[in-house]
Each structure stands twice: as C-alpha cells, then as structure tokens.
Amino acid sequence: MASNRNRWRGNRSRRKYIVRSTRCVFKFVFGLYQFLQVRWGQWHREDGTNTTWHSDIADRPDLVRAWKRSQQRKREDIASKDLDIQIAWDPDETIPVHDRPSELRAQAYDEKLRNAQPELTSEMWDAELDIALGRAEPVDEENRAPRLRARPRQDSAVVEAPSRSRSLLSASSAVRSLGKDRRAPLSAPSPSMRGKSLSKAASSSSYRSTPSKTPDFSVRSSSSMSLSGSPGPSNRMSQSTVSQPSRLLSPRNLLQKRWGQATKSALAASVKIVNDLDDEEIPSHMNRFRYTEQKYMLGDELRHLASLDEGIFLTCECSSNCQDATRCHCQIPSEIKDGIGRKIFAYSRGLFTFRVPRGVEVIECNAFCGCDPACNNRVAQRPRDIGIEVFKTRHCGWGARAIESIPKGKVMGLFTGQLVRRDQIEDLPESHAGYIFDLDGTEAKGEVNSGEKFSVDSFECGNWTRFVNHSCDPNMKVYSVVYDTVPDMNAPYLAFVAVKPIPARTELTIDYDPCADVDAAGPGKSKVPRNARPCRCESVRCRGWVKV
Ligand SMILES: C[S@@+](CC[C@H](N)C(=O)[O-])C[C@H]1O[C@@H](n2cnc3c(N)ncnc32)[C@H](O)[C@@H]1O
C-alpha cells in the first residue's frame, strides 16, 4: 500500500507517522468486534513491534473505506456459498477464532437471511391475521424453502430458523371480514398530501441510497434481529429465541409486533398504536401495509437508485465533526447561506435552524464523507430517537403524536413509502390519493430540471408519518434533504421538523398546502382549490378547507 502521511490520533506533538500496511483482521474483544490491523512505517514500540488495531482511522478514510469494501465482499462471498452458517459459540474453543460469533458473521447471517426470506406479501399478512384471530392454524414450516438454516455446533447455542414467525395459510383478510374499518372511506377525489402545495412545503429531500438488497420492511424473526449488523446491544448474537405464537396476538399486537421489528432493525424508537376514543383496533387498510422506517421502497425498475456509485457523490474530508460548511466539499452544491452569502449548515446542535429558503434542499454528509456518524451535518439520517404514538383522533381518523415534549427544530422523522415515477401516479387506486407526496421541492423553486420526477406513495407501505394530519396552524414543517442520493436525482427525503416546542402527546400536524394565502386564513377567506374538502383541524386559523 502506498505510503501516506498519517497523524496518530491523540498524539499531541502531531508527529507524522506513515502507514506501512493495513490488513483486514478479525480480532475479538468480548467476542464481537473486528478491527483493522495497521502496521506503522515510522513508529514502533520498544520491543520492535509496530502493529496497532483500529475500528477507524480518522485521517485515512480511504483506507477504512477500502477495508469496509473488502469486508463487504467477504460477507457476500460467505453469503453466496450456502445457506448454512455456523454461529454457535464453542465453549471448548475448538472452533478457530475466525469461526466464532463476530459482527462479520452476524452480518453474513443477516445477509443470508434477507436472501433466504421471501418478501412479505399481503397474503402472508392476511394469514397471520387469520391465525391471530383463531381462524386458522399455524403451519409447520419445517419443509418450507428456501430459508436459512442455523447449524448448531453445540447444544448450548442454537439459533432457531428465522422464518419461524411466518405463517403462510389462507389469503383471506381477517381485517376486512371483521368489518373493522368504520371510518369514512379514504377515497378522496384527489391527492390530499400530493400536489404543488406539498411540494412547496418541501424545500427539497432525498432518498437513502445505502445499498441494500432488501428493503427496510423485511420482517425478521427475533433471532435475526439480534444478529443485525449494526453495533449495539440489540445486535449482539443471542441464544435461541422462539417467536411468540401468532395466534396469541390480537390484530393490534400483531401489527405492533411487525412495526416493532421494523423500527428496531432501523435502530429507531418505538411506534405504538393507541385508541382511547373508540373500539377501532387498528387503522384501516393495514392488512397490506408494510412498515419502512427510513427508506423508500423501490420497485425493480427503480432499484438502481439504491446502489449509487461512490463516484457520484461529493464528499468532505473532515476528520470527525464538520464545523465549517465553507470547507466541506459535500456542501459545494448547497444553497444554504447566511446573510453575507457564506455557506452554512442547516443545523445547529442537532436542530434545524429554519435558515433554509423554500425550494432549497439540505445536503447532509454522505456515507463516503470522511466525518464521523455524529457529525453536525448528519441529522435527518440518524435513527429517530423520539417515541411515537399513532392514535385515534376525534375528527380526522388516525393521527400521530410524540410521547415526549419536543424542542423547536427537532427533526421528527422522514416520510417513507413506495417511490414511484410521477407519471405513474394516475394509475394508482383512488384510495391512495390522500397518502402521496410529490418530491418536487426544486420544481417549487422554479428550477424544473429535466430529470425524472418522483412521488412517494405511503398508502401500502411507509411509517408513522403517513398518519400525520393536516392543520392550518401546524406544529411541523417539511423540508427536503439528500444524503444517499444527489440533488439532481430528484429523489430526496422529506423530513418532518417541529416548528415550535410541542408538548408531549400533542397531535403532530403539517400544512398540506403551506403556500395557501396565509394572510387570508380563516374560514372561507382564502381561495378554495378544486381538490379541497372541509377541514377539521379546529385551529383558530383554519381556512375551512384542506386540499386532498
Ligand atoms: C395522510 S392521511 C392522514 C392519516 C389519516 N387520518 C388516516 O387515518 O389514515 C390524509 C387523510 O387524512 C384526512 N385528513 C387529514 N387532515 C385532515 C383535516 N384537517 N381535515 C379533514 N380531513 C383530514 C383526509 O382524509 C386525508 O385524505
């Protein structure tokens, strides 16, 4: 490996050292971590050794990236060979150290699991509901294929087949047959969240392109959850975990369990379903709904957007925390500036500053930037840390609220769902209309670029944000943010941010038509658009209509 200047972190004298070679070696500390082995060219210990171990090298992101790529290749290699993986701990240590449980192996397991598990379909969901309601018996899945087989090396360490929680029976919809949907039909004549108005609310956004073979919503068994590749206690290798039989779960608990798995695998806080108002157990249309916390769902024709080449991104070389937007290369295209035209970040101390003009999108640091994950300019991409309740409102069906008080500027979450080409929206069923967001933040600014245009349909998949109702005096605003795509791709994320301090358990709302004439607000005073319906937000500033 070519020599390069390297500063040893923590060395106050700032003496320069040269990396002579790096090697991808798995060293086990508490049996779980892997480290990059570095041999130093101009440094050695008194005993002559010159090797140190690192999980990161702040000054050499190129080395770390190369190392991570080689790790990825190894995992893919392991995953492609067969569906078996030895994951048992060997108490007698007869297994070579490289075969012990490790993060690498956990990731390989996870990747195998994703390959082995079929995509969750509405039929599977219906079947689970049938079992939950006692209308059907769970099937023995022993002979179901393909699936991941966990091969125990010792009796003491068996990880169960991860597809245990899946039950594939009939395709009838228990929810539908129970007639649980007592709300007015959601067949709005035109999109409620869709349209110029909403796009204007969004100054821009992006979708996360972290390469992923399987979308976020993939349901994993408890054991696979514990084996997820991200660091943290919830990802440690666990002993055998047996799923709770589905038949013991009510539809709400079953839905809750699904969402719990999805939020947990995204390292996000919980989302609970509560209804203190009536006996509707779960929101309607949940029989086909798949929860995806932070990623768009991509159909085959858009899957290429999830594996963008590193070369497409502008990256910064900051060593840990990005503090100066004028020096951050990833900010070159950013149009967020202070009063004297200097580039600034959109956030201060983790909170949105609202210094982002309408039509301008926020460009966060990306996976290839040199800064660390806690950098100032990575906020919307972090896992949501505020617990959410999806609850039954008095007048607007189900809504969403936070379980704790929220400061102004807090980024609450990203709007997710199925990413669709804008020209295909008209083909969607009418019932989807109130759940579609156009990603047209830059169009609102009048700079329509020639690229493809997208919208996000959250009717059948998405997260808690699809329950956010409209208010003419909202407590959240939407802005657009990119971090795993680039602005020109027109597929930003939409981040929901608190515009004022919000007390715990206050309904979270946005304005579906933020560009309506605000000065003329008040019942009947502003021009009623064609796609409007009576607004039930009950705010004193209510326009009297909501665009749907
Ligand atoms: C994105 S969904 C919000 C979640 C929805 N309440 C539910 O239960 O699924 C948008 C739909 O909620 C309803 N809605 C939201 N805000 C409303 C308001 N202020 N007045 C009347 N209906 C509203 C409309 O039916 C609209 O099409």
Side-chain angles (χ1 to χ4, degrees), residues 183-188 190-193 283-286 391-393 395-399 415 433-436 458 465-472 507 510 512 533-538 542 545-548:
R183 293 195 298 116
L186 293 167
S187 52
S190 62
S192 73
M193 296 186 80
S284 56
H285 308 297
M286 287 293 111
F391 74 108
K392 189 75 185 287
T393 67
H395 301 299
C396 295
W398 294 79
F415 185 76
Y435 297 83
I436 298 169
S458 68
T465 58
R466 61 94 81 185
F467 294 101
V468 170
N469 286 317
H470 160 88
S471 169
C472 300
E507 181 172 7
I510 58 170
Y512 288 3
R533 65 160 60 175
C535 178
R536 299 188 186 145
C537 78
E538 294 188 316
C542 182
W545 52 263
V546 55
K547 212 169 157 190
V548 289

Side-chain angles (χ1 to χ4, degrees), residues 271-285:
V271 177
K272 298 266 184 263
I273 303 161
V274 291
N275 185 354
D276 303 325
L277 201 70
D278 56 33
D279 59 356
E280 188 177 27
E281 208 177 346
I282 54 174
S284 56
H285 308 297

Side-chain angles (χ1 to χ4, degrees), residues 6 17 179 211 241 251 296 319 356 377 390 412 457 471 498 513 531 537:
N6 211 303
Y17 292 95
T241 315
Y296 291 142
S319 61
V356 180
N377 194 37
V390 169
M412 301 297 298
D457 177 9
S471 169
D513 193 4
N531 300 334
C537 78

Side-chain angles (χ1 to χ4, degrees), residues 33 41 92-93 102 107 116 159 236 249 333 348 457 461 469 474 482:
Y33 298 109
D92 299 321
E93 302 205 344
S102 67
Q107 286 173 355
V159 175
R236 304 279 163 89
L249 301 177
S348 170
D457 177 9
C461 69
N469 286 317
V482 290

Side-chain angles (χ1 to χ4, degrees), residues 250-257 273-275 280-282:
S250 66
R252 181 181 299 168
N253 287 343
L254 188 53
L255 189 60
Q256 198 74 82
K257 185 179 162 199
I273 303 161
V274 291
N275 185 354
E280 188 177 27
E281 208 177 346
I282 54 174

